[in-house]
Amino acid sequence: MKLRAVALCAGLGALVVPVIAAANDAKVTVTTSVIRVDTNPELPLSRLDIPPEDDAFAGAERAEADNATTGRFLGHGYETRLVDTTPEEALAALEAELAEGVRLFVTLAPADTLLALADRAAEDGALVMNALARDNRLRQSECRANVFHIAPSRAMLADGLAQYLVWKKWSEWLIVEGSNESDKLMAESYARAARKFGAEIAERMVFEDTGGARRTDSGHVLVQRQVPVFMQEADDHDVVVVADESEYFGAYIPYRTWVPRPVAGDAGLRVRSWHPAFEGWGATQLQRRFERDQGRYMTDRDYQAWVALRVIGEAVTRTDSADPATLRDYIRSDAFEIAAFKGEALSFRPWNQQLRQGVLVADDRLIVSVSPQQEFLHQRTRLDTLGFDEPESDCNLN
């Protein structure tokens, strides 16, 4: 039976929900805190994209139930604490969890907040699973020995898209990027992927974020006139690659370009870690379990939180321990692998502790392809064609 209790941490502004499935007589008790840092982003362009209130937390609950299924036979009990906080209160929330004896964390936080949490957690020997931040620098110059990356990096997503576009022989790209910092970083990842896989960048254009209302009664009329004019003078290209992590303009690009071209990237054909239409390699089982319990589709954040907790559960199962140092050594080892409905067992790159995984190339309704594409070979595993391979890495945790 799963018991839930809700308490507001006094003075922290962090909502903590313990989800308890551990037997009182368990020989190993595994307590993990899932810290979700809410940044109050702008409303998405489409009301269909408003995230559910339990985004990521629902995936964590599903993972705890899956971990408990195996744990019951091995004498392992699991307690998952759901912590909802803000960037300003995130460190205080972490301190409260450390004071409760928690040494295993799953974070859904922007890069700078993640680094602050990870550095403080390291002081107490705690492990952190990054289930959200995609910043390349977290896998490169600012990597941390106590952080494992579940979320794919921008480089992995861009490489996955590039492989498919090159396979399609859409080799001339028009990159349209937003003016916000995250958009620029994503655009750089697309440019890097183009160089890596032999595509050509016909031109890079910047769509300025001028602020103001983005969802108005007349919005579609203005966009219908503005976007084609904006793209009228663009150089010849096979495909438009949109870099719009801030979700300011990308959804407006498909069907409004000056010349008829496919749109990919952060609009149109997108690359994701998960998709509600995905049914390959037994994924339907996970989709149906999640939908039965939550009454909605599984999001990327749900999936990434689920994988993070399943990584912990798998390591506990194999080591018969909840000690962070023991778990870290095993997760980094050649013996570790996790089944995550991606067609093959997944493992971590020891040089930067990024989870190797395939990525889904999809539109709004269907999976179009899965990268890495079969034609792109690697001496170790094709999964290492996505993101920073060891010779490219500025991080060496070996």
Side-chain angles (χ1 to χ4, degrees), residues 218-265:
S218 61
H220 70 280
V221 177
L222 293 174
V223 169
Q224 182 173 329
R225 295 180 180 275
Q226 291 173 346
V227 170
V229 173
F230 166 70
M231 303 180 69
Q232 182 176 359
E233 301 299 327
D235 292 343
D236 290 342
H237 53 278
D238 299 321
V239 60
V240 179
V241 177
V242 175
D244 178 35
E245 268 204 5
S246 55
E247 298 184 342
Y248 176 73
F249 71 94
Y252 290 141
I253 300 298
Y255 312 112
R256 296 182 176 94
T257 57
W258 183 259
V259 293
R261 293 292 183 270
V263 177

Side-chain angles (χ1 to χ4, degrees), residues 357-371:
Q357 59 186 296
V359 292
L360 309 180
V361 184
D363 61 15
D364 289 340
R365 298 180 61 82
L366 291 173
I367 305 300
V368 175
S369 186
V370 179
S371 286

Side-chain angles (χ1 to χ4, degrees), residues 129-131 139 148-152 304 307-308 311 348 354-355 357:
M129 300 284 163
N130 167 28
R139 288 84 171 166
F148 288 88
H149 301 286
I150 306 300
Q304 287 159 194
V307 173
V311 165
F348 286 88
Q354 168 69 58
L355 182 68
Q357 59 186 296

